[in-house]
Amino acid sequence: MRISGEELKVFSQAISRAVEEVERKVVGKRREVELILASLLSNGHVLLEGVPGVAKTLMAKTIAGVLGLEFRRVQATPDMLPSDIIGVVVYNPRTAEFTFRKGPIFTNILLVDEINRAPPKTQSALLEAMQERQVTVEGVTYRLPEPFLVLATMNPIEVEGTFPLSEAQVDRFLAKVVIGYPTVSETVAILDRYYSIVSDPVTPQLSREEVVKLIDLVKRVYVDDNIKKYIALLVQATREHPMVKLGASPRGAIATYLLSKAIALMRGRDYVTPDDVRYVVHSTLSHRIILKSEARIAGVGVEEVIDEVLEKVEVP
């Protein structure tokens, strides 16, 4: 069933207002904000990479407020247990019964700061919840709220006291969004608006129910067979690149497919164009490609490989 013109107009305008509201507090990160919103609308999760102080936490909290969603933040540490995120069964002496005390994962947007500081057991418990959208404790299954988005941050320069995520775990994230330093003019704007950024509340532009409706609309965005083949050829080209040891998996193609549908809806269209695919492909494939050692010696990075793939594969 195609999306009506009225639905497209109403929701694309609402998303535009939401992005603009986020930009009141987060300066110069429109593309990053759009990719996070698109991941939420695609029922995916996001790996945020950036050095400390580039507004990762502010961005996550502001997006939750603008969308009318519940937000919680967890700081990962080497001694963190799965129960610190999922919850724990406790004994109530008054009722002589065991009850489940829900952890911070029972929210709409969960920010896990420095996920690579959590031990592997805790990482795996979190990623299982991301995949199944439920947790099982003492044989009882609890569904997570809808919508549900995990934003996991990583500091790219810190390695001491960390537990690097395995490639299989990283592959579970729909998108990887790199938060870079602001430009000089953006830094000046941050200084000018510092007090309003810190103290002014955000105005919700959508409700939780409307976000759930948008997630359903994304599923109805049309993708032509030529676009699907274009996505498949891009993924295949990453596997054939001479500098690549391990190319993008089929999950990378699915991520590109889903995220391009969400971006199309955010642009006010009910169909995907090649430009939508090109807009998201860096974020959907960059964390799924492993380069050969000679690539590092030659100074070739993943982003350059994806750029070469985009130039090589013919646009439909």
Side-chain angles (χ1 to χ4, degrees):
M1 181 179 175
R2 297 298 290 269
I3 305 171
S4 69
E6 185 62 26
E7 284 178 311
L8 274 175
K9 181 179 179 182
V10 169
F11 283 105
S12 64
Q13 289 178 351
I15 293 172
S16 295
R17 291 196 304 270
V19 173
E20 290 170 4
E21 182 67 14
V22 173
E23 285 189 306
R24 283 203 310 110
K25 283 183 168 286
V26 182
V27 179
K29 302 297 179 187
R30 187 179 185 91
R31 182 175 184 276
E32 290 83 350
V33 170
E34 287 183 340
L35 289 172
I36 293 172
L37 285 173
S39 298
L40 173 64
L41 298 182
S42 303
N43 268 330
H45 306 281
V46 180
L47 189 62
L48 282 177
E49 185 178 285
V51 297
V54 290
K56 298 188 294 294
T57 301
L58 176 66
M59 187 182 298
K61 190 174 182 179
T62 304
I63 288 173
V66 168
L67 299 181
L69 301 177
E70 184 182 1
F71 171 80
R72 292 188 184 180
R73 176 178 177 267
V74 173
Q75 177 63 54
T77 57
D79 60 348
M80 176 177 281
L81 300 174
S83 58
D84 294 330
I85 296 178
I86 294 172
V88 64
V89 174
V90 296
Y91 178 72
N92 188 336
R94 293 183 179 179
T95 62
E97 294 179 344
F98 288 93
T99 57
F100 177 59
R101 184 174 295 169
K102 293 182 178 180
I105 201 169
F106 287 87
T107 187
N108 295 126
I109 295 182
L110 176 68
L111 176 68
V112 183
D113 252 339
E114 298 182 292
I115 187 174
N116 53 333
R117 285 198 174 280
K121 189 174 183 179
T122 303
Q123 291 176 9
S124 62
L126 173 65
L127 294 169
E128 180 185 3
M130 290 164 51
Q131 183 73 15
E132 305 297 331
R133 297 184 178 272
Q134 64 184 31
V135 296
T136 302
V137 181
E138 300 293 335
V140 180
T141 299
Y142 302 88
R143 294 292 301 175
L144 295 173
E146 292 185 6
F148 176 62
L149 169 71
V150 171
L151 291 171
T153 71
M154 285 202 311
N155 182 344
I157 62 170
E158 212 161 357
V159 293
E160 290 188 13
T162 62
F163 303 89
L165 275 69
S166 68
E167 298 305 326
Q169 288 175 321
V170 171
D171 196 42
R172 296 285 180 179
F173 288 92
L174 186 78
K176 176 183 176 182
V177 178
V178 179
I179 311 295
Y181 285 121
T183 64
V184 172
S185 60
E186 289 169 350
T187 303
V188 171
I190 291 170
L191 298 177
D192 287 338
R193 291 152 54 182
Y194 173 73
Y195 291 109
S196 63
I197 289 173
V198 172
S199 59
D200 288 359
V202 296
T203 304
Q205 301 297 320
L206 289 163
S207 65
R208 189 193 71 83
E209 292 74 19
E210 287 173 322
V211 174
V212 172
K213 173 68 173 176
L214 276 168
I215 292 172
D216 182 62
L217 287 180
V218 168
K219 297 174 184 177
R220 292 157 54 190
V221 172
Y222 174 72
V223 183
D224 188 79
D225 288 343
N226 288 326
I227 299 294
K228 294 175 187 176
K229 185 177 180 181
Y230 181 53
I231 293 171
L233 288 171
L234 288 173
V235 171
Q236 181 66 30
T238 66
R239 302 167 190 161
E240 297 171 349
H241 194 282
M243 290 294 185
V244 173
K245 178 180 180 182
L246 185 66
S249 66
R251 192 179 283 127
I254 295 170
T256 306
Y257 170 78
L258 295 175
L259 213 57
S260 59
K261 282 161 67 80
I263 288 294
L265 185 67
M266 292 169 66
R267 299 284 188 265
R269 285 182 276 100
D270 66 345
Y271 59 90
V272 173
T273 69
D275 285 339
D276 298 326
V277 175
R278 296 171 71 87
Y279 189 77
V280 306
V281 73
H282 279 273
S283 62
T284 58
L285 299 187
S286 62
H287 58 301
R288 294 182 163 94
I289 296 173
I290 301 176
L291 300 179
K292 295 178 180 177
S293 56
E294 49 262 42
R296 287 188 289 271
I297 296 171
V300 176
V302 172
E303 299 298 328
E304 288 86 352
V305 168
I306 296 175
D307 286 337
E308 290 180 18
V309 165
L310 287 170
E311 290 181 8
K312 175 183 176 183
V313 178
E314 184 179 355
V315 179

